[in-house]
Amino acid sequence: VFPRIDTGAPIFGVDLVARAGSSSLFGVDLSPVPEGASWRGELRARLGDADERLSGASIPVPVYLAKAFSEESLLMRFEVFDAKDARELLDIIESVLGPYLARLLECEPMRDEVALKAATSRHLEYISGHRANITGQRLLSSAFGEQFARDFLADVFVPMPR
């Protein structure tokens, strides 16, 4: 979910990569969240014991993804992803997404030019980092061609604000 940049609200992201006969990956994040922002700590508080409710193993954010994930993110790898994990993931996503959307509706545009410039810079850095590390590009390229994959990911999946 990409909020309006002028609110300073973080971007909500959920990724689930599941492949038959292979390990699966789940990630959830609110990013970027600047130091001292009222959003800080909210994701981890809502996630609670998510890493204990799921059969996967928590993994640290790789260095090359540091610009695309916050330190509050949850990344997990599953050797076997089953129906119980799927139900738990839906509950976890709902417990984070509902309050996030409700709070997003209350966000007012920032009036402070310095704060607005900093929020815009954080969002652009986040989006640039995400665009550089999109894992689905190879899959889309093999199915639809490289140009389509690049255009789709840039214009639809991770668009740059205009």
Side-chain angles (χ1 to χ4, degrees):
V1 175
F2 286 86
R4 288 180 37 186
I5 288 179
D6 66 356
T7 64
I11 297 164
F12 175 82
V14 173
D15 294 294
L16 176 60
V17 180
R19 298 184 336 205
S22 181
S23 62
S24 301
L25 182 69
F26 167 68
V28 62
D29 197 13
L30 285 180
S31 192
V33 181
E35 200 64 45
S38 62
W39 292 87
R40 186 157 294 283
E42 188 164 315
L43 176 64
R44 273 293 170 183
R46 295 219 178 269
L47 287 173
D49 64 348
D51 49 349
E52 294 171 18
R53 292 166 50 192
L54 298 163
S55 69
S58 292
I59 59 173
V61 174
V63 173
Y64 62 89
L65 290 178
K67 286 186 178 180
F69 284 90
S70 77
E71 63 276 2
E72 296 186 47
S73 64
L74 173 64
L75 289 179
M76 298 188 82
R77 182 175 292 120
F78 298 84
E79 292 310 315
V80 176
F81 185 77
D82 59 20
K84 179 186 177 295
D85 283 323
R87 284 189 298 277
E88 289 288 347
L89 278 180
L90 289 175
D91 287 346
I92 290 164
I93 292 167
E94 189 175 285
S95 75
V96 176
L97 183 57
Y100 168 80
L101 292 174
R103 188 161 174 205
L104 204 56
L105 291 173
E106 298 171 359
C107 287
E108 295 287 329
M110 290 184 279
R111 307 227 186 281
D112 180 331
E113 287 296 319
V114 174
L116 179 58
K117 191 172 187 174
T120 301
S121 177
R122 281 191 307 274
H123 275 182
L124 293 176
E125 183 178 355
Y126 171 88
I127 291 168
S128 295
H130 233 311
R131 283 177 127 185
N133 292 298
I134 293 174
T135 56
Q137 182 153 357
R138 197 171 43 197
L139 175 67
L140 287 171
S141 292
S142 66
F144 303 105
E146 283 191 40
Q147 186 63 49
F148 173 87
R150 267 195 308 278
D151 292 346
F152 175 80
L153 293 171
D155 298 335
V156 177
F157 191 69
V158 185
M160 290 299 262
R162 298 200 190 307

